[in-house]
Amino acid sequence: MNNDTSALSPKEQQIAAISAHTARGDMPGLRNALTAGLDAGLTLNELKEVLVQMYAYCGFPRSLNALNELMVLAKDRASRGINDTVGAEAGAPPAGKSIDFGTANQTKLCGAPVKGDLFLFAPAIDEFLKAHLFGDIFGRDNMDWKTRELATIAALAAMTGTESQLNSHIRIGK
């Protein structure tokens, strides 16, 4: 990511746009942002990773639709002789249980263990957040946490009713 906090790089701008269009289900806007992202030098695997992560914030339907849009766009570009860079695949997950390294990731990102009445009321969501989101997704090594947070913030900002989560991720992103 760009160290200049006053502006996003062209790649970062497109990651934000792609995440926002995915969260809103805006397929024409998404196709334009995906095209601009590829033209800005994002790899197909970087874009896939952003879109896979989006399911945790805006659901499987929007994530799957966005991935399909990227697949169709990549095939279209290839048929026109545009050879987009595939990029790095994610490596093997960290050793151990997702819940363990997810809890460690969440604590590191948030600066302290995350607790609260909601997690006592519905302990399953606490486990899913720690094991799956912060373990299985944030544990993947083909996208850094700053970029993941940029995508998350853009998606949450594009949706209504997510102010609490948005404010939390803005704090994490800083």
Side-chain angles (χ1 to χ4, degrees), residues 67-85:
L67 284 162
N68 188 67
E69 188 68 29
L70 175 60
M71 181 180 67
V72 169
L73 175 63
K75 287 178 181 178
D76 178 56
R77 288 170 63 97
S79 74
R80 293 184 287 122
I82 301 170
N83 296 313
D84 295 306
T85 304

Side-chain angles (χ1 to χ4, degrees), residues 12-36:
E12 292 166 337
Q13 290 173 28
Q14 294 315 312
I15 288 171
I18 289 161
S19 300
H21 289 298
T22 300
R24 286 193 301 264
D26 174 8
M27 300 313 284
L30 176 61
R31 185 172 181 97
N32 290 337
L34 289 169
T35 299

Side-chain angles (χ1 to χ4, degrees), residues 1 11 15 17 34 39-40 45 63-64 69 72 77-78 80 84 88 94 98 100-101 125 142-143 170:
M1 273 186 67
K11 287 182 181 182
I15 288 171
L34 289 169
D39 291 344
N45 282 337
S63 177
L64 291 169
E69 188 68 29
V72 169
R77 288 170 63 97
R80 293 184 287 122
D84 295 306
S98 297
D100 295 333
F101 57 83
I125 198 69
N142 60 339
M143 183 180 293
I170 288 172

Side-chain angles (χ1 to χ4, degrees), residues 99 117-133:
I99 187 81
D117 290 341
L118 178 64
F119 302 122
L120 294 172
F121 179 71
I125 198 69
D126 187 40
E127 182 177 340
F128 296 159
L129 281 169
K130 287 177 175 147
H132 187 59
L133 179 60

Side-chain angles (χ1 to χ4, degrees), residues 96-151:
K97 295 182 179 180
S98 297
I99 187 81
D100 295 333
F101 57 83
T103 300
N105 287 348
Q106 183 189 44
T107 300
K108 185 174 181 180
L109 279 162
C110 296
V114 176
K115 299 177 183 181
D117 290 341
L118 178 64
F119 302 122
L120 294 172
F121 179 71
I125 198 69
D126 187 40
E127 182 177 340
F128 296 159
L129 281 169
K130 287 177 175 147
H132 187 59
L133 179 60
F134 290 103
D136 296 331
I137 295 175
F138 273 71
R140 292 170 61 86
D141 65 358
N142 60 339
M143 183 180 293
D144 63 41
W145 287 356
K146 288 180 182 179
T147 305
R148 288 189 184 283
E149 282 302 318
L150 171 63

Side-chain angles (χ1 to χ4, degrees), residues 1-9 12-13 146:
M1 273 186 67
N2 185 344
N3 289 330
D4 178 5
T5 58
S6 66
L8 298 175
S9 73
E12 292 166 337
Q13 290 173 28
K146 288 180 182 179

